[in-house]
Amino acid sequence: DAGVIQSPRHEVTEMGQEVTLRCKPISGHDYLFWYRQTMMRGLELLIYFNNNVPIDDSGMPEDRFSAKMPNASFSTLKIQPSEPRDSAVYFCASSRNESPTQYFGPGTRLTVL
Amino acid sequence: GEDVEQSLFLSVREGDSSVINCTYTDSSSTYLYWYKQEPGAGLQLLTYIFSNMDMKQDQRLTVLLNKKDKHLSLRIADTQTGDSAIYFCAEPLGSDYKLSFGAGTTVTVRA
């Protein structure tokens, strides 16, 4: 298996622009998680889905952030408009119903100027 | 406490053993995890232990679990430069498959 795939790996954008991060979970996995990692706050869970349905979005910082999972093999995290404080590494992870073990993608490093 | 706790830094000489400690929160956690993050990379599952075990050994890695004290440790024998990374302890949050991560322990291996 190819593992969790994320794109782009790096994104540099200007404040106010829309940013879309993409994730393809491991085939057959039922859960998908979006995390943000910063030096100051560590690893934060933003939102997670089970069978394409959002279960808990309490970690989403504010309304500028939104996430979708239109099918079992694709999810997006969108920031509109982006701000410099959104600069971070965003990780996607997936797991199966039978086990809470999560497998992480390589991350997207976002820089908002 | 409410958070998974880890010491932030560990410096070890190449060839020595490293011990990374973690205190978790939920005595009913069924699995406990160690993840490794190398510079510029994502988190990689290193090992995990079932809560009905006291110890798990996997090559150079030994995981010890003390359920009474809710204490988890990871020992790396014969530490190599490639072991320099951030190590995260994690436990499930309830039954809904979320994981709660510690802040991570940065291990630096010196020659």
Side-chain angles (χ1 to χ4, degrees):
Chain A
D1 201 311
V4 176
I5 299 172
Q6 292 188 245
S7 65
R9 294 294 311 277
H10 302 273
E11 176 82 29
V12 180
T13 190
E14 292 187 344
M15 183 174 63
Q17 297 298 307
E18 177 179 295
V19 175
T20 300
L21 311 181
R22 296 173 175 81
C23 175
K24 177 179 167 55
I26 293 173
S27 178
H29 280 198
D30 312 283
Y31 284 84
L32 184 140
F33 304 82
W34 281 102
Y35 291 89
R36 177 172 68 176
Q37 185 180 39
T38 60
M39 289 291 291
M40 292 297 295
R41 300 174 69 93
L43 195 63
E44 301 174 277
L45 176 64
L46 301 178
I47 185 171
Y48 76 97
F49 296 81
N50 180 222
N51 295 325
N52 314 337
V53 176
I55 303 300
D56 184 348
D57 65 354
S58 59
M60 296 285 261
E62 48 198 274
D63 292 345
R64 298 184 297 106
F65 285 69
S66 62
K68 294 182 180 179
M69 192 164 186
N71 57 63
S73 59
F74 183 66
S75 177
T76 59
L77 177 67
K78 187 176 292 188
I79 308 172
Q80 166 64 18
S82 58
E83 297 182 3
R85 60 194 169 117
D86 302 329
S87 296
V89 181
Y90 291 81
F91 290 105
C92 178
S94 68
S95 67
R96 297 180 298 123
N97 273 341
E98 296 79 16
S99 167
T101 304
Q102 294 183 18
Y103 296 87
F104 281 72
T108 295
R109 181 173 295 277
L110 173 66
T111 303
V112 183
L113 302 175
Chain B
E2 295 182 352
D3 297 329
V4 176
E5 295 184 350
Q6 301 178 239
S7 54
L8 294 182
F9 301 99
L10 176 66
S11 179
V12 61
R13 189 174 304 177
E14 188 175 11
D16 288 351
S17 293
S18 309
V19 179
I20 307 166
N21 294 302
C22 168
T23 302
Y24 60 98
T25 64
D26 186 354
S27 58
S28 65
S29 290
T30 52
Y31 299 79
L32 292 151
Y33 297 89
W34 284 105
Y35 282 83
K36 176 184 180 183
Q37 184 179 29
E38 296 182 358
L43 275 72
Q44 169 194 357
L45 178 65
L46 197 57
T47 187
Y48 62 90
I49 188 169
F50 290 101
S51 60
N52 62 357
M53 300 169 67
D54 297 325
M55 184 181 80
K56 178 179 179 180
Q57 188 150 4
D58 183 2
Q59 298 182 333
R60 292 190 298 119
L61 304 178
T62 303
V63 179
L64 295 178
L65 176 60
N66 180 334
K67 289 185 68 176
K68 174 177 172 292
D69 295 334
K70 291 186 279 188
H71 184 262
L72 183 73
S73 68
L74 174 69
R75 179 177 180 270
I76 306 172
D78 187 24
T79 309
Q80 303 298 308
T81 55
D83 296 323
S84 291
I86 304 175
Y87 292 81
F88 293 90
C89 169
E91 64 171 335
L93 280 177
S95 61
D96 58 3
Y97 291 88
K98 293 195 294 187
L99 289 181
S100 176
F101 287 85
T105 300
T106 299
V107 173
T108 302
V109 181
R110 60 186 193 278

